[in-house]
Amino acid sequence: MKQSYDYILVGGGSAACVAAWKLTVERGARVLLLERGPRRPSLFRQFLLSMPAAWMMAIRGNPVVEMHTPVAQKHLNGRSPAVGQANVLGGGTSVNAMVYTRGQREDYDHWDAFLGHPLLWNFDKILPHFKALEDNQRFQNDWHGIFGPQPVSDTGTTCQITDDYIRAVQGMGVPFTPDFNGQSQFGVGTMQYTTLNKRRYNGVEAFLKPAQATGRLTIVTDATVSGIKLNGRRCEGVTYFRNGQEEQAYCNDAVLMAAGTFNTPKVLMLSGIGPADHLKAMGIAPKFDLPGIGQNLQDHHEVPVVAATKGHFGYFREDRGLRAIKNGLQYLMFKTGPVTSNGVEACAYIDPEQGSRPTIKMYCVPSVYLDSDNSDVPDQDGVTLNACLLRPKSRGTVTLRSTNPSDRPVVDNNYLADPDDLRLEILGLRYAREILASQPISSRISYEIIPGSQVTSDEDLASHCRRTVKTNWHPVGTCRMGQEDDAMAVVDPFLRVRGIDGLRIIDASVMPFIPSGNTNAPTMAVASQAIDFISK
């Protein structure tokens, strides 16, 4: 039996959830959504993921997150920091740290300038999409909406070290900022989250449930899309595998790619759409030579300063033993206490070079937090300041590993390839030390664990960066938009794939430059804008 719809969504993450909602609820379209992961985690994992403090415990070692280990990184002495991508319905909204940030006005104005000022992607154009999607539990003003399907709330609690951090940064001349998504991002304060009543509120609840209520949305999970069906220059549908069987689905209007920054280019290349030389090398006959597919990979990355504290001011061992039982009961009964925190309550958007536009997001983690390859760090009370580079200049790639649709692509993040990225990370480390030396947080600090007070030269700090740099799991850019004469552009400013009718890309892979903040909210706004473009 031939499956036919108005639109087919390839992917079930942030972008697809928003698109499914807009297409069915606002436009009355018949939509098929294909998600390669399961419809939901196990009930126990689902329960853990709903609690802000338990999200990391819930995803650890769980197939709802697909870990992509990049090639050995040339500028990290061969290290390969893995990048996790969601593998479950709801995508990142189901497994991420729930942080809601949009980036800076300049990010979107830069996109518009890069595209030749078509007045399609500047901040004034994208802001109404942020507002329309949002149900903010605190703000209603020129920057925020309260009637959208996605709740956005304040952090559930703050611990002593978070409060001290916020006051210490203010003491350094940085203003307190109650809203990082308001008029100015510069400052220090607590973040907002995609939560409601102290629990995760993901894209399934916010967007897919009302879309399904229309009766016009079909969701198929555990479906691995193997290719785009082309009839000349026209995209007619997709081929996918489910339960070991190959199936086909057709659409009247368009296939909308929303499989993410790694898998959207993979599916396109498997379909013969991509860099001709690479496709030939993989034994795939090129149908459309688009050399930009899989290029321009960007990701936020950070380096830590970790210090021991003189007492218990954060969340060390709050998830163990009797404390875990007490905290869990407090959460279940009253929705208060440490479980209402995702573990990172505050940050500062700063520029260590004293410019007016932040270049670093300084996270305050109220515990000793490092990747597993630094397991020699002592297990004790402490605080970690992570200097996250907001606009890295290094660019990486995504290519095919094989012609097997189940194989993960080859990822090369190319971290720290641009010397300016390393320079700014070093400045971020020095700034983090200044914070730890400022009152009132300095009175809590016992000693610096890593990189250690003896590590002072730029050369030694650079070595620390190469040893510890980690991803924020924010990959973007591998199918970027561009002007008509831009040979590396994959989609035009309306997100139509070049040379192909009925095929658009609506996820973070279209971003030409990474936003200066967490990427979930911008991805949802991009998808909302993309659906408004459909008639064009």
Side-chain angles (χ1 to χ4, degrees), residues 169 174 185-188 348-353 355 357-362 390 428 431 435:
V169 177
V174 176
Q185 190 188 60
F186 175 64
V188 62
Y349 284 94
I350 51 94
D351 178 12
E353 297 178 294
R357 185 183 180 193
T359 57
I360 295 287
K361 180 180 185 179
M362 189 72 71
L390 290 176
Y431 197 94
I435 295 172

Side-chain angles (χ1 to χ4, degrees), residues 434-456:
E434 289 184 44
I435 295 172
L436 293 175
S438 300
Q439 286 286 10
I441 199 171
S442 61
S443 63
R444 311 284 188 189
I445 303 302
S446 174
Y447 69 98
E448 183 177 297
I449 301 174
I450 65 164
S453 58
Q454 75 283 0
V455 178
T456 57

Side-chain angles (χ1 to χ4, degrees), residues 30 47 217-218 226 245 253 306 352 378 404 408 472 487 493 515-516:
R30 293 175 299 114
F47 172 68
L217 174 63
T218 300
S226 56
Q245 300 295 315
D253 292 297
V306 184
N404 185 342
R408 296 170 192 176
N472 267 204
S516 304

Side-chain angles (χ1 to χ4, degrees), residues 213-226:
T214 67
R216 294 185 287 269
L217 174 63
T218 300
I219 297 174
V220 179
T221 54
D222 300 300
T224 300
V225 174
S226 56

Side-chain angles (χ1 to χ4, degrees), residues 164-324:
D164 291 342
Y165 169 83
I166 292 172
R167 291 187 292 164
V169 177
Q170 289 180 81
M172 296 170 62
V174 176
F176 176 77
T177 299
D179 181 13
F180 291 123
N181 298 306
Q183 186 169 5
S184 174
Q185 190 188 60
F186 175 64
V188 62
T190 57
M191 295 174 281
Q192 286 202 303
Y193 305 87
T194 49
T195 56
L196 181 66
N197 298 326
K198 308 300 187 292
R199 58 178 292 274
R200 179 190 297 273
Y201 204 94
N202 66 6
V204 177
E205 294 178 279
F207 301 105
L208 293 187
K209 285 185 177 179
Q212 283 186 290
T214 67
R216 294 185 287 269
L217 174 63
T218 300
I219 297 174
V220 179
T221 54
D222 300 300
T224 300
V225 174
S226 56
I228 304 298
K229 294 185 67 63
L230 297 170
N231 184 1
R233 300 175 64 89
R234 175 73 189 175
C235 175
E236 295 186 326
V238 300
T239 301
Y240 63 97
F241 285 89
R242 189 167 188 264
N243 297 326
Q245 300 295 315
E246 181 180 279
E247 300 189 39
Q248 297 178 343
Y250 296 83
C251 59
N252 300 319
D253 292 297
V255 169
L256 307 177
M257 295 297 304
T261 296
F262 294 158
N263 286 302
T264 284
K266 184 187 86 169
V267 172
L268 294 175
M269 287 187 283
L270 288 173
S271 307
I273 306 168
D277 290 344
H278 175 57
L279 297 181
K280 291 174 183 176
M282 299 303 298
I284 298 172
K287 298 176 182 176
F288 290 90
D289 181 15
L290 293 180
I293 290 181
Q295 305 298 304
N296 193 50
L297 174 63
Q298 301 156 63
D299 191 6
H300 290 135
H301 51 77
E302 62 190 24
V303 291
V305 173
V306 184
T309 54
K310 297 175 182 177
H312 183 63
F313 310 114
Y315 293 128
F316 177 61
R317 290 188 174 168
E318 291 292 335
D319 59 346
R320 309 180 203 178
L322 291 177
R323 282 183 182 172

Side-chain angles (χ1 to χ4, degrees), residues 367-382:
S367 60
V368 173
Y369 173 67
L370 288 167
D371 282 351
S372 58
D373 56 351
N374 291 283
S375 55
D376 56 324
V377 173
D379 186 29
Q380 65 183 84
D381 274 298

